[in-house]
Amino acid sequence: MTDLNNLFLGRRTIRKYTQEEIGEDLLNDLLMAGCRSSTTGNMQVYSIIVTRDENKKKALSPLHFNQTMVLEAPVLLTFCADFNRFNRWCLNSSAQPGYDNFLSFMTAAIDALLVAQTLCIAAEARGLGICYLGTTTYMAHKIIDVLRLPKGVIPVTTITLGWPAENPEQTDRLPLEAIVHSEIYTDYSDADIERFYSVKEGRADSLQFIRENNKTSLAQVFTDVRYKREDNVYFSKMLLKVIEDQGFMNNL
């Protein structure tokens, strides 16, 4: 139970890293652990781009909104949905692939995310810190160019990886009662919603967000500042175009 508490219940997202490098043997161990993740049909329709080069990081940094950790972390890992490799194998084996559709993109994206999370758990177990970058899907079209991803390959998430130079306070989580449903989905009453979100809303950092953004509630910080409707619509259109351009929208 102690190990469980330390590894999972005590985990923190790390955004500041020391200058210590990650050895090749350790990184390979983590990559091998990640690639033992569950995968649809044992197809392994994902790829991982390892970025250590400073110039390549500088090219990627603006695509991740110039977050400093992109340059400071010794390693960036970009996890991609990848049917390119599997399609090539099929064609070389006189088999006709039928994976140019949205379902196949979802299959490969789920595979890639499973690998990413398994690798992150393995990394944290070795004392490393990680941070997921949600900007990957926002700027997928430009990341494709920088990483030279061929048709059939789409980046779905990126993590920064390195030795922690901070021990930040844990972010809050909703209680299990808010997340877990027994047998069927049980919808929430207004009283449930108020109760489940009360701790989050009462945190000092939440109250600071509200003041800094001149809002009257934490929910408004999300809807009006952090994840605005117009931004969601814009990036949705961009991602759908990427999915089409990369060959996953033949849904006839």
Side-chain angles (χ1 to χ4, degrees):
M1 181 60 70
T2 300
D3 289 342
L4 176 65
N5 287 337
N6 289 339
L7 183 58
F8 292 103
L9 302 184
R11 76 164 306 277
R12 292 161 168 77
T13 294
I14 302 299
R15 294 178 172 85
K16 295 180 180 179
Y17 303 95
T18 72
Q19 295 302 302
E20 183 179 355
E21 291 294 331
I22 299 173
E24 285 295 333
D25 289 344
L26 174 56
L27 182 58
N28 284 336
D29 285 348
L30 300 178
L31 292 167
M32 290 180 65
C35 291
R36 292 306 306 178
S37 301
S38 297
T39 173
T40 301
N42 199 27
M43 293 188 291
Q44 290 188 273
V45 282
Y46 55 82
S47 282
I48 308 166
I49 312 298
V50 179
T51 303
R52 289 184 182 268
D53 180 76
E54 294 300 319
N55 289 328
K56 189 65 72 174
K57 289 181 191 176
K58 289 178 181 177
L60 288 169
S61 179
L63 309 185
H64 293 295
F65 298 178
N66 292 311
Q67 298 177 81
T68 56
M69 56 190 160
V70 172
L71 297 177
E72 292 177 354
V75 173
L76 293 182
L77 297 174
T78 305
F79 296 83
C80 303
D82 182 359
F83 257 104
N84 173 57
R85 179 180 61 249
F86 194 82
N87 287 341
R88 298 273 303 267
W89 174 61
C90 290
L91 291 170
N92 289 346
S93 304
S94 301
Q96 187 61 42
Y99 310 115
D100 55 349
N101 44 69
F102 187 72
L103 177 64
S104 296
F105 166 72
M106 286 297 298
T107 296
I110 291 168
D111 265 19
L113 291 172
L114 288 171
V115 172
Q117 185 59 18
T118 301
L119 186 147
C120 286
I121 292 170
E124 290 174 329
R126 301 289 286 269
L128 289 155
I130 66 95
C131 181
Y132 277 95
L133 303 180
T135 42
T136 306
T137 49
Y138 297 165
M139 303 299 288
H141 57 300
K142 293 188 177 181
I143 293 173
I144 284 171
D145 290 340
V146 171
L147 298 182
R148 301 182 186 178
L149 305 182
K151 197 166 185 176
V153 184
I154 297 176
V156 293
T157 196
T158 302
I159 67 163
T160 55
L161 181 66
W163 301 102
E166 63 173 349
N167 186 31
E169 182 181 356
Q170 276 192 305
T171 53
D172 62 294
R173 290 292 187 266
L174 294 172
L176 283 183
E177 184 185 0
I179 306 296
V180 179
H181 302 256
S182 179
E183 307 299 343
I184 61 171
Y185 189 101
T186 303
D187 208 352
Y188 308 96
S189 67
D190 288 346
D192 290 334
I193 297 297
E194 182 176 354
R195 177 163 52 91
F196 293 149
Y197 283 88
S198 61
V199 173
K200 179 187 290 287
E201 292 171 333
R203 284 173 58 100
D205 53 358
S206 296
L207 296 173
Q208 182 178 345
F209 291 153
I210 294 169
R211 288 193 300 270
E212 288 177 347
N213 292 284
N214 296 314
K215 298 299 176 181
T216 60
S217 71
L218 182 62
Q220 289 177 354
V221 176
F222 281 86
T223 61
D224 300 352
V225 180
R226 297 187 66 186
Y227 303 103
K228 297 183 290 186
R229 179 190 297 273
E230 55 267 34
D231 291 343
N232 292 335
V233 170
Y234 173 78
F235 288 121
S236 292
K237 290 178 179 178
M238 295 294 292
L239 182 57
L240 285 170
K241 186 175 188 306
V242 166
I243 293 171
E244 181 176 10
D245 290 347
Q246 294 298 91
F248 287 104
M249 290 299 278
N250 178 20
N251 297 307
L252 299 179

